[in-house]
Amino acid sequence: MSSSATSRKKLLLMGRSGSGKSSMRSIIFSNYSALDTRRLGATIDVELLHLRFLGNMTLNLWDCGGQTVFMDNYFTSQKDHIFKMVQVLIHVFDVESKLINKDIEIFIKSLTNLQQYLPGAKVFVLLHKMDLVQIDKRQELFQIMMEKLQKISNPYHFKLVGFPTSIWDESLYKAWSQIVCSLIPNINLFNNNLVKFNSILDAEEIILFEKTTFLVISSTASIQNQQKQIENGQADQQAQEELDPKRFEKISNIIKTYKQSITKLRTNFKNLIIRGSDGTNFYIDIITDNMFIMIVLKDKKDADNLIQQQHEELLILDNIKAARKWFEKIENNE
Amino acid sequence: MEAALIPNPSDTNATILLMGLRRSGKSSICKVVFHNMQPYDTLYLESTSKPTTEQFSSLIDLSVMELPGQLNYFEPNYDSERLFSSVGALVYVIDSQDEYLNAITNLLMIIDYAYKVNPNINIEVLIHKIDGLSEDYRIDAQRDIMQRTGDELLDLGVEGVELSFYLTSIFNHSIYEAFSRIVQKLIPELPSLENMLDNLVEHSSIDKVFLFDVNSKIYVATDSSPVDIQTYEVCAEFIDITIDLDDLYVENDKNKNEHGGVNSNNQSELKSISRLSNGSVLYLKQMIRGLALVALIRSDERKGINGTEEDINGVVETVEEINQDEASNQEKSLTIIDYNVSLFKESLMKIWKNSKLIHANQESSQRHLQQSHPSQE
């Protein structure tokens, strides 16, 4: 807890006007639905957002309005103010933009500035409004853009991470969950504990979510993937993935819809247990003050017995309760 | 084409006929209710040229037939007589944002004709697209339309027609509510279903219970307490969430089964429970034939089922103890609810079996229900 400065993260959200920056952050951090974002007006200058994330991490999200007037200011007079101490730059490109050269020009400007102030910053590129592109062309377009952008940023020694996004599907959650995860310092501790917990439960899958945003923090599948990649160098993880590769984002999306629907009853939800149609059981429960856990279990034996089922349910819930202690520890003893 | 229009007399489907002037929103209603289409996407629907039929089997088998608006039903080559005599309900859609005088004239013509052919027909009028009207104007529009149709009917000399009016919009849940009411009128077993649900509510500290058709989010029955639209919305969305989450991991299993083919008979019923922070519980359990029971269980179990127990040892308790007690009480009451719900399911199966027998053996006029009065413990 000693260094409150290090747990404070500064994120710059940049991009030309109308590219969808404010819509994004409203959906992820302010519980807007995709339709609601139509009501958002233009952002004037910089809008600051302070978000507490996982207890002691504070995200300072600088949503920078994208009109040329403001933009010019950022790169000249406000340079110091804007680019000091930036940990992450998130640059949003509108795929439908007519003035791609102008977009790239601005991108280069911010990279130049960023390099001056903090060479080690992480740069994420979001190709936004992908829903406006035909489905079969999306992948191709994304790759072309990314190659181009990477080439541009090579002189500045930044490694770009890019995502195709749209507010109308779950791709937005995927992008933001990776962005935010890259900022969590003790992610390895979480991972280790999750693996341990899994060895006790022998679950199909365990996933950790952040409470307010429902972004995925960690999951057993992704941990296994990482390990495999370390072992076999560049193993193709796509081949081993049996389950829907987009499931994390979908779950985030589903649960968030649920959370919103529950607010109609003026309350929040504590846990959710689903006994699936073919022996898959889901448990979603609070694990710490800031995290939810989701456990997916497969029925091994025929537990048709109602009593037996209920005992199992209680056992799992008790296990979650026991695990709570450990995860709270990690969260607090940063 | 004509053959397709007339429902096959041998199948027992209750048919709902959806009519209205062109561009009144009939196809949009069908798409939104039965195909889970997003309301905004219905802007791009083409004009319907042929009668289309939606089959949907809930507790009873229903088919919803949508007629194109621009048709003239009184052309001699159109066998409207047989059409009207075979349907259970006629739903007429009036666009409330448009001039509705034409629609009322058209409606009266249809009523006049249909009622002569089939006096048992339920006539339902949807005053549609009310999302664009202000709150005050809605009531005015409804009153105006009701008044005019009532007067005109008197002038026509048609008596004894019962019209029901609904204010609907596809942008909120009112269309589901209206369809629920319409479908409920066609279910002969409804009174006993409601009775059973009332029993269930009484003995299980349930706040509100719905029997949903999973695909369309139409509720087939509910208990007799008034329907709170918010509760309905939450319950309907709860179904979506449960099914969506379940599907994520099931799809992959189907692949596995194709390869291994081991546990294909392991299809157990879908069930989900969610506890809310105010102590209430959302409860869903799959019933027969695409139906699901969704209940909102209220928070005061402590006073409810285990109230007496609580009073004995309730002198000085730490917060933790209270919490623990609450949790265990909740478990107990859930067990009881589980038991009651499975009883309900059994009786539901019984009713359904009996109603099938009646259909098969007797004439449809004797749709009298065999009261099997299942006790609910």
Side-chain angles (χ1 to χ4, degrees):
Chain A
M1 300 306 264
S2 56
S3 50
S4 64
T6 52
S7 64
R8 193 170 282 243
K9 313 281 181 188
K10 181 169 168 185
L11 293 88
L12 273 190
L13 188 56
M14 283 257 195
R16 290 219 313 132
S17 71
S19 55
K21 301 175 291 299
S22 302
S23 305
M24 251 182 210
R25 63 138 172 124
S26 308
I27 290 177
I28 300 282
F29 297 108
S30 317
N31 280 331
Y32 276 50
S33 76
L35 271 177
D36 292 339
T37 61
R38 294 186 307 176
R39 292 204 300 257
L40 290 169
T43 308
I44 306 297
D45 213 2
V46 179
E47 233 169 70
L48 267 174
L49 221 72
H50 300 280
L51 306 153
R52 286 179 69 73
F53 196 81
L54 289 186
N56 45 25
M57 204 166 93
T58 312
L59 301 181
N60 291 339
L61 190 66
W62 294 48
D63 184 1
C64 307
Q67 264 92 346
T68 334
V69 197
F70 306 134
M71 275 287 182
D72 290 343
N73 263 339
Y74 301 152
F75 299 126
T76 52
S77 53
Q78 291 181 317
K79 211 153 100 171
D80 255 8
H81 175 59
I82 298 267
F83 286 97
K84 213 178 199 173
M85 304 273 290
V86 170
Q87 254 102 350
V88 176
L89 172 73
I90 303 158
H91 202 102
V92 184
F93 287 92
D94 180 353
V95 286
E96 272 221 317
S97 169
K98 302 274 189 305
L99 306 162
I100 294 186
N101 286 333
K102 183 110 200 257
D103 289 344
I104 289 174
E105 193 186 305
I106 289 166
F107 183 53
I108 292 173
K109 267 189 198 162
S110 45
L111 283 186
T112 333
N113 281 303
L114 198 61
Q115 200 200 15
Q116 274 173 25
Y117 287 92
L118 200 95
K122 296 185 177 96
V123 179
F124 293 93
V125 178
L126 305 183
L127 290 188
H128 199 44
K129 306 198 186 173
M130 264 298 176
D131 52 296
L132 298 172
V133 182
Q134 277 177 41
I135 293 176
D136 46 333
K137 300 228 171 96
R138 284 180 195 174
Q139 189 59 31
E140 200 189 331
L141 182 82
F142 177 64
Q143 255 158 11
I144 292 171
M145 269 304 266
M146 281 317 293
E147 272 166 30
K148 198 169 168 190
L149 292 175
Q150 183 63 57
K151 212 181 271 171
I152 290 164
S153 57
N154 272 342
Y156 304 95
H157 307 290
F158 283 116
K159 174 119 185 50
L160 297 186
V161 184
F163 300 100
T165 56
S166 155
I167 57 169
W168 299 99
D169 60 24
E170 59 288 328
S171 59
L172 196 64
Y173 289 93
K174 180 180 184 167
W176 278 90
S177 136
Q178 300 223 8
I179 291 171
V180 169
C181 277
S182 72
L183 295 172
I184 301 172
N186 45 4
I187 189 87
N188 281 332
L189 269 172
F190 280 123
N191 286 348
N192 291 342
N193 269 278
L194 208 58
V195 171
K196 251 183 232 163
F197 192 33
N198 191 22
S199 69
I200 295 166
L201 284 176
D202 193 20
E204 183 87 352
E205 182 157 75
I206 306 182
I207 309 169
L208 278 183
F209 294 97
E210 202 276 331
K211 189 182 179 184
T212 48
T213 58
F214 253 93
L215 296 173
V216 176
I217 293 167
S218 170
S219 76
T220 48
S222 65
I223 296 168
Q224 278 162 8
N225 253 335
Q226 275 171 20
Q227 282 170 345
K228 262 175 203 149
Q229 268 184 332
I230 292 162
E231 281 167 20
N232 327 342
Q234 287 287 329
D236 48 340
Q237 72 256 50
Q238 234 57 32
Q240 291 144 346
E241 195 93 51
E242 291 171 359
L243 293 158
D244 185 352
K246 281 189 182 160
R247 63 187 181 284
F248 298 137
E249 296 87 76
K250 281 182 182 159
I251 294 168
S252 297
N253 209 352
I254 293 169
I255 309 261
K256 239 181 145 174
T257 329
Y258 179 47
K259 263 180 68 178
Q260 259 172 327
S261 115
I262 290 295
T263 52
K264 285 175 197 153
L265 299 176
R266 277 169 228 90
T267 171
N268 276 312
F269 90 104
K270 249 167 87 197
N271 68 8
L272 171 66
I273 301 167
I274 298 177
R275 198 162 289 285
S277 51
D278 67 342
T280 325
N281 295 335
F282 303 83
Y283 296 85
I284 298 172
D285 202 352
I286 298 169
I287 184 104
T288 69
D289 289 339
N290 306 298
M291 282 192 283
F292 270 94
I293 194 166
M294 170 162 159
I295 301 172
V296 183
L297 278 176
K298 278 264 168 231
D299 258 354
K300 264 116 206 154
K301 53 210 171 293
D302 293 84
D304 279 334
N305 197 338
L306 193 77
I307 311 261
Q308 206 177 330
Q309 272 182 7
Q310 248 161 11
H311 279 193
E312 196 189 83
E313 208 174 288
L314 289 177
L315 191 69
I316 302 276
L317 287 180
D318 267 353
N319 266 322
I320 294 175
K321 217 178 268 173
R324 229 163 252 180
K325 200 166 69 190
W326 296 101
F327 283 94
E328 265 162 11
K329 229 187 211 167
I330 312 172
E331 214 181 69
N332 297 327
N333 300 348
E334 209 190 318
Chain B
M1 183 178 140
E2 219 171 275
L5 208 146
I6 310 302
N8 191 354
S10 70
D11 67 26
T12 55
N13 284 7
T15 307
I16 297 175
L17 204 56
L18 200 57
M19 299 173 88
L21 291 184
R22 60 196 195 87
R23 302 186 53 77
S24 59
K26 301 176 292 300
S27 303
S28 302
I29 292 178
C30 274
K31 291 286 182 209
V32 168
V33 175
F34 300 106
H35 295 269
N36 285 325
M37 192 190 245
Q38 287 300 312
Y40 280 98
D41 294 338
T42 59
L43 279 176
Y44 308 111
L45 286 179
E46 304 233 336
S47 153
T48 313
S49 58
K50 274 187 206 156
T52 47
T53 314
E54 309 285 344
Q55 295 290 343
F56 98 100
S57 61
S58 177
L59 194 63
I60 53 172
D61 292 317
L62 283 172
S63 51
V64 176
M65 194 192 288
E66 187 202 339
L67 294 181
Q70 57 271 37
L71 269 187
N72 184 1
Y73 307 101
F74 305 102
E75 275 175 23
N77 62 345
Y78 229 81
D79 197 355
S80 10
E81 194 175 328
R82 265 175 70 200
L83 178 68
F84 283 124
S85 61
S86 58
V87 300
L90 192 155
V91 180
Y92 192 86
V93 184
I94 294 178
D95 181 351
S96 66
Q97 294 188 17
D98 203 7
E99 196 52 55
Y100 46 69
L101 290 178
N102 277 340
I104 291 177
T105 327
N106 186 244
L107 169 65
L108 288 166
M109 240 157 62
I110 292 169
I111 292 176
D112 187 28
Y113 189 83
Y115 195 66
K116 275 176 198 150
V117 177
N118 180 5
N120 285 326
I121 200 164
N122 289 317
I123 295 174
E124 327 274 351
V125 181
L126 304 186
I127 301 168
H128 196 50
K129 305 194 194 172
I130 49 143
D131 48 285
L133 301 182
S134 68
E135 208 64 55
D136 305 334
Y137 195 64
R138 287 176 195 177
I139 312 286
D140 285 348
Q142 184 182 13
R143 198 181 297 134
D144 192 35
I145 291 174
M146 283 171 83
Q147 182 86 45
R148 279 171 197 275
T149 37
D151 290 351
E152 299 277 339
L153 274 180
L154 272 181
D155 289 351
L156 276 173
V158 186
E159 274 174 32
V161 187
E162 271 188 44
L163 294 176
S164 321
F165 291 88
Y166 306 87
L167 292 171
T168 59
S169 157
I170 51 171
F171 291 95
N172 56 36
H173 284 74
S174 58
I175 188 70
Y176 294 97
E177 172 89 27
F179 257 88
S180 303
R181 293 274 162 76
I182 293 167
V183 169
Q184 281 169 24
K185 283 192 190 165
L186 299 177
I187 299 174
E189 296 88 350
L190 187 70
S192 59
L193 272 181
E194 279 178 346
N195 221 338
M196 278 159 60
L197 286 172
D198 276 343
N199 265 330
L200 182 67
V201 164
E202 194 178 324
H203 295 280
S204 320
S205 74
I206 288 175
D207 214 23
K208 186 74 193 156
V209 61
F210 291 101
L211 200 55
F212 270 106
D213 177 58
V214 169
N215 289 324
S216 59
K217 310 292 173 310
I218 286 175
Y219 63 90
V220 175
T222 178
D223 62 305
S224 50
S225 66
V227 176
D228 170 21
I229 198 76
Q230 242 128 36
T231 316
Y232 166 81
E233 281 175 17
V234 170
C235 288
E237 276 157 20
F238 192 54
I239 299 180
D240 274 336
I241 282 138
T242 304
I243 289 177
D244 286 351
L245 271 180
D246 189 43
D247 274 355
L248 277 183
Y249 287 83
V250 163
E251 256 174 287
N252 146 293
D253 270 23
K254 272 179 193 153
N255 295 338
K256 259 189 200 162
N257 279 348
E258 273 166 28
H259 298 305
V262 197
N263 49 353
S264 53
N265 59 344
N266 203 10
Q267 280 275 345
S268 57
E269 64 195 358
L270 194 61
K271 188 180 130 188
S272 79
I273 298 166
S274 177
R275 290 174 183 84
L276 310 179
S277 45
N278 68 355
S280 316
V281 176
L282 274 172
Y283 179 96
L284 177 147
K285 191 163 176 161
Q286 197 180 355
M287 299 277 122
I288 53 171
R289 316 203 65 201
L291 291 176
L293 180 130
V294 185
L296 181 68
I297 299 159
R298 56 166 178 265
S299 46
D300 50 325
E301 285 89 1
R302 275 155 62 81
K303 280 168 256 157
I305 292 171
N306 292 30
T308 46
E309 239 174 80
E310 215 60 46
D311 291 337
I312 295 165
N313 50 17
V315 192
V316 189
E317 285 175 310
T318 62
V319 180
E320 201 162 305
E321 266 173 349
I322 291 174
N323 281 344
Q324 248 170 21
D325 274 344
E326 232 166 47
S328 74
N329 273 342
Q330 215 164 43
E331 279 321 316
K332 277 179 208 160
S333 69
L334 272 179
T335 317
I336 292 168
I337 287 168
D338 248 356
Y339 182 71
N340 284 346
V341 170
S342 26
L343 274 183
F344 175 80
K345 187 176 174 181
E346 273 169 35
S347 25
L348 196 64
M349 275 146 98
K350 240 184 249 164
I351 285 194
W352 183 58
K353 223 198 263 164
N354 284 340
S355 73
K356 281 224 122 180
L357 277 178
I358 294 171
H359 277 303
N361 295 340
Q362 304 173 8
E363 283 162 26
S364 57
S365 60
Q366 285 180 311
R367 274 204 189 151
H368 205 76
L369 173 76
Q370 267 190 5
Q371 289 282 3
S372 47
H373 263 314
S375 63
Q376 212 55 45
E377 193 70 13

